[in-house]
Every structure is written in structure tokens, then in C-alpha cells.
Amino acid sequence: MEFFEKVWRASFLRARRPVEGVLLDESAARDITEDVFDRLLSRFPRKPPESEFTSEALELAADEARARVAAARRDAKDPQRHHDPSDRRYDRNLDLDLLQDHDGKHGFREPEWTKLDPLLRPFGFQVLARKGIKSHNAEDVFVDTFAELARPKSSGKQAPIETIRVFEEIIPLFTRMLQFRAIDWRRRQSTLKNQPNVQHSYEELTEAEDHAMQFEDPGAGPAATVGDLTFDEIYKQCEECLDEFEWELVFTIYVAQTATMGEIIDDPAVLPKLGLTPKDSTSKRRRVLNDHLEPALQKLAKCLKS
């Protein structure tokens, strides 16, 4: 019960604030969380791995909350509905329905787009300044990235602006896109100094099936790359990287923090999974636990960088 209570509280908080800048009232968040738990508990006849259950609960709570906010704004014709009054990053939300409206042939032509550029500029140029890109170079990278928001992927998928549910998601979406553009720009500048005209374009590197990839910023540490990811997002991306026991260890020690390493090696249920017995010394138990944890963390880091 202690585990489920912790996940319930975490899911409730995620439902209240599914995105920075969105705030649902407690009653709505409680309804969403109860619905999520009803669905998950009816789907699993037995208790699933804690990491899997937590990931799904958090993801479902956030998805349902975003859907509820989007529907409420559409019904009330009020883009500000459920916007966090303490969020002062910009003056007002724009109408996401208008931003996503297009006629197919002529693209996104709503006047609402003219308001989006000045709203995103402070966030965008702050990111570019941290990457060391300034002046007209920063303007070029910003404009290219802004245009990409409305550009459908070559594979026929939606344009990035069509992938979000609430307006507040536009800022993290755009800054991530801008970071990739900035990294690509710096790589191209470096390439031009040595081997002109041999580097692939951003679109080729991110979309072409034969070598699609994402870039790691060499100037950023792990926190800069992974810090914005929630546990459910990490689990969704890296689920197959670790086996069930490795997820159990990582989740228990680093996510739920329901047990210390010392408590883990004293748990009779865990010892057989580590290939240990109660007769083994504490130092051996700790060494074997580290031998399981370190490779798991390395695999997780490698997955997140890929």
C-alpha cells in the first residue's frame, strides 16, 4: 500500500500540473488520478513491476490532464482556462486551435502566428546565447526553427505544432527543436572550416531512414540533456534497455527512494536475484549490488544519449 500511495500522490501532482504553466484544481486532478488507477488496476491482474506501473500512471495522468484542459478551453473558447496564474513567463496564452488550423494546401495562415514569434523570441535567444550563437547567426537559427514548427515532416507526419495538446507545451517543444538546430549549426560551422560541403543537412540527419539520429550537445552535461525528462518519459524511451530486475533496482533506489542500498542488500527477497545468500558478508553483498547497478546505469545513460 505504501508504494501505491506514493504513486497516487505523484500522479495527482502530475495531473494538477501536467505541463509547466497549467494548473488544474484539486477536484479535477483527483478525478483524473482515480480514473487512471481504476484503469491500471483493472488491467493488471497481479502487481506489475513498480517502475512499469509508475511510468504508466504518470504518463496517463499527464495525458488525461492535457486532454481535459484542451477540451475545457475549446468549449469555453478561452485559451487562458486552467493557466497557472503564477506563471509570468509571457502575457497570455495564444489560441492553439487557431495555430493548428490549416487548409492543407496553403499551410498555417491564421493571424495568430504573427503573435507567436515575439512570444518565443525571449526563450529562443536565451537558448542560443547559452550555445554561444549570437547576432545575425542567432537570428538565422531562430527563424529556421520557427519555420520548422509549421513544416510537416518529409515522412508525411504532422508538423511539430500539431503534436501538442495545450499551448504551454509550445515552449519546451520549441526550445528542444532550437537546441538541435543550434548543435547542427555549430557542427556545420566546424565542418566548413575543414571539409566544405560534405555535412548532411539537419532534415537528413533527423528524418532520413538510413541515418536518422539526434544530437548530443558536447558542451552540456547529462543534466542538460536529461534534466527535463520525467521518469515516465525515460522509462518509455528506455524500457527495453534494462531487464525487469535492473529497473526494480534503479526505481527503488533512485526514483521511489523507498530503500537504501544497505536496506536492499538486507532484503531476503532480493538476495537470490543478486546470486547471494544471507551468509554472504556485507562487503560482498554491496560489491555484487554495485556490479548490477553500474552496468544498468551505464546502459540507461547510453540509451538516453542515443
Side-chain angles (χ1 to χ4, degrees), residues 186-203:
R186 295 184 66 179
R187 288 168 63 96
R188 284 189 286 108
Q189 294 303 307
S190 176
T191 301
L192 288 172
K193 294 178 182 178
N194 301 298
Q195 298 177 346
N197 303 321
V198 299
Q199 185 57 275
H200 296 292
S201 70
Y202 172 84
E203 286 77 10

Side-chain angles (χ1 to χ4, degrees), residues 24-232:
L24 271 74
D25 59 64
E26 292 188 0
S27 176
R30 189 177 299 109
D31 289 344
I32 290 171
T33 308
E34 289 175 353
D35 178 63
V36 165
F37 263 64
D38 285 344
R39 288 155 60 187
L40 286 178
L41 292 175
S42 64
R43 198 172 82 202
F44 293 110
R46 299 176 182 173
K47 182 185 174 185
E50 293 182 353
S51 53
E52 179 182 355
F53 186 89
T54 302
S55 170
E56 294 215 30
L58 295 176
E59 183 178 5
L60 285 172
D63 286 347
E64 178 60 31
R66 289 196 296 268
R68 183 172 295 205
V69 170
R73 288 176 177 177
R74 190 170 294 115
D75 292 343
K77 294 182 172 54
D78 180 11
Q80 296 300 120
R81 192 172 180 85
H82 297 304
H83 183 70
D84 187 350
S86 66
D87 184 11
R88 305 296 183 186
R89 293 173 297 168
Y90 50 87
D91 290 338
R92 294 181 62 80
N93 281 348
L94 301 183
D95 191 324
L96 183 60
D97 287 339
L98 293 178
L99 291 172
Q100 293 178 330
D101 185 45
H102 65 92
D103 59 11
K105 291 183 179 180
H106 303 291
F108 302 87
R109 292 178 175 266
E110 286 287 342
E112 201 80 353
W113 276 87
T114 62
K115 305 173 188 177
L116 186 59
D117 180 298
L119 186 149
L120 290 176
R121 277 182 175 266
F123 304 101
F125 280 88
Q126 185 178 34
V127 170
L128 293 171
R130 289 201 301 266
K131 301 292 184 183
I133 304 176
K134 301 178 181 179
S135 187
H136 67 279
N137 292 324
E139 179 70 22
D140 289 344
V141 175
F142 178 89
V143 170
D144 286 346
T145 310
F146 186 81
E148 189 190 351
L149 275 173
R151 186 182 305 134
K153 297 298 182 181
S154 59
S155 57
K157 295 181 180 178
Q158 295 174 310
I161 190 67
E162 297 178 277
T163 64
I164 60 177
R165 304 290 293 276
V166 294
F167 178 75
E168 288 84 353
E169 292 179 276
I170 191 70
I171 294 174
L173 170 67
F174 186 71
T175 53
R176 283 196 300 270
M177 292 170 58
L178 200 58
Q179 287 169 353
F180 289 137
R181 278 277 178 184
I183 295 166
D184 181 49
W185 182 88
R186 295 184 66 179
R187 288 168 63 96
R188 284 189 286 108
Q189 294 303 307
S190 176
T191 301
L192 288 172
K193 294 178 182 178
N194 301 298
Q195 298 177 346
N197 303 321
V198 299
Q199 185 57 275
H200 296 292
S201 70
Y202 172 84
E203 286 77 10
E204 289 180 285
L205 286 167
T206 55
E207 295 183 15
E209 292 184 0
D210 55 342
H211 54 256
M213 61 183 294
Q214 289 182 326
F215 302 112
E216 175 191 6
D217 181 0
T225 315
V226 184
D228 292 334
L229 291 178
T230 58
F231 173 71
D232 50 308

